[in-house]
């Protein structure tokens, strides 16, 4: 099992906690950012393959930013899989 704390860059959230076991996301949570949207993302990705979530969310942007909380979650998941 891989539990990590990821500090996102360039977004409103300031921390992502992610737990991946055997390539499956057991839990993900965000601190800061758009509370309702990030709670929804956390619920939606729970139980999914981390690689599928990375493929789906990687490169997603927020407004004029070159990244988003969802994109930063994909970075956190890559770190958890390494």
């Amino acid at each position: 099992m891989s539990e990590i704390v990821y500090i996102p860059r360039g977004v409103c959230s300031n921390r992502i906690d992610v737990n991946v076991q055997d390539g499956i996301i057991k839990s993900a949570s965000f601190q800061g950012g758009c509370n309702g949207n990030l709670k929804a993302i956390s619920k939606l990705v729970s139980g999914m393959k981390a690689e599928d979530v990375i493929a789906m969310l990687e490169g997603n942007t927020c407004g004029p930013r070159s990244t988003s909380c969802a994109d930063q979650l994909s970075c956190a998941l890559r770190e958890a899989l390494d």
Side-chain angles (χ1 to χ4, degrees):
M1 181 169 1
S2 179
E3 295 182 46
I4 67 159
V5 173
Y6 184 81
I7 305 303
R9 298 173 242 342
V11 295
C12 298
S13 64
N14 53 39
R15 177 178 165 156
I16 301 171
D17 296 299
V18 66
N19 182 330
V20 177
Q21 183 177 359
D22 298 324
I24 305 296
I25 301 168
K26 296 300 178 184
S27 65
S29 63
F30 295 81
Q31 289 185 3
C34 302
N35 188 31
N37 291 333
L38 296 176
K39 282 182 189 175
I41 288 173
S42 296
K43 288 179 181 182
L44 290 170
V45 302
S46 183
M48 292 183 67
K49 289 182 182 179
E51 290 181 357
D52 292 345
V53 173
I54 291 167
M56 183 173 37
L57 299 180
E58 189 172 51
N60 188 61
T61 60
C62 181
R65 296 180 174 112
S66 61
T67 188
S68 66
C69 292
D71 181 52
Q72 290 294 295
L73 175 58
S74 71
C75 296
L77 292 170
R78 283 195 184 281
E79 190 173 297
L81 291 175
D82 286 344

